[in-house]
Amino acid sequence: MLLFHRAFFFFLAAGLSLSLAACGGGGGGAAPTPMAQTPAPPPPPTVNYDTAEYRNQPALDQIGAISAYERGAQGDGVIVSVIDTGIDEDHPEFSGRIHPQSADLLIAGVVPPGDVRAGGPDLNDYDDHGTPVASIIGAARNGTGIHGVAPETTLLIYRVDDDSMDEESLLGNAIGEAVIRSGNLGAGVVNMSFGTDEPLARPQFANDFTYLKSKDVVTVIAAGNDSDADPDQSALGALDVAGDSAVIIAGSVDSLNIISAF
């Protein structure tokens, strides 16, 4: 078992698409017959992304999210795996966008028998950590409250906390299983808003990052909540991945870009 702290983060993925048009012509001895002109399609409607909902989440402006939205990058077609403490399944911000293969991984066959959750699998977030993390990532753009960085993304939720009195305890076996499932199900991003300095953390997470990189997955992991000069050992595993690690180590600042008090 590994013990982890939890942290919040935000990320941005942007994409561009380019379209090319070509025209050709020909000539001949006779004057060409005039052809009916097809009217040009009307320009697409201008979307105002700078809304009250956008402003209620200061991080979006800090990372320049609108420039990505204007290029069509809002998470549509992208699966983001959130390995955390579950999610509020009934929250309207996530309606229709929780992946059907989301799972509580404190189940027999994934963790030792003594760690199996009493009462059976339960995806709901009782610690109120996984739900806020999921909202930062993918709360809907619906005119209410805030919206996430990628408001159209599909959220693949893996609950891995042990539901004990120790709210900072997450289980390493369940995290490893979540990593494998994320890669196999085609996640584009895996988010881990937690970390640890336990002795085996660095090589264990380096293996996880290497696997996810092989599946073309970007991993985001918390730097840590300690204000230390270096990130946690779990995050430092990114340095041990051959070549580019495909890992973002995320710290935290407040709305004034000052390092967060926690």
Side-chain angles (χ1 to χ4, degrees), residues 218-252:
V218 174
T219 304
V220 184
I221 188 167
N225 287 345
D226 307 312
S227 299
D228 291 337
D230 293 319
D232 289 340
Q233 290 297 307
S234 46
L236 288 175
L239 303 182
D240 302 327
V241 178
D244 295 331
S245 68
V247 178
I248 298 169
I249 301 175
S252 176

Side-chain angles (χ1 to χ4, degrees), residues 146-168:
I146 67 165
H147 67 74
V149 177
E152 296 180 6
T153 193
T154 297
L155 297 164
L156 177 60
I157 306 297
Y158 290 119
R159 185 178 174 192
V160 298
D161 67 312
D162 69 358
D163 203 23
S164 71
M165 293 301 291
D166 178 4
E167 291 188 356
E168 294 189 346

Side-chain angles (χ1 to χ4, degrees), residues 11-19 49 63-78 149-150 189 218:
F11 75 95
L12 172 66
L16 279 177
S17 63
L18 301 179
S19 62
Y49 294 107
I63 62 175
I66 286 180
S67 65
Y69 299 157
E70 290 175 341
R71 290 164 172 80
Q74 297 189 60
D76 183 32
V78 178
V149 177
V189 180
V218 174

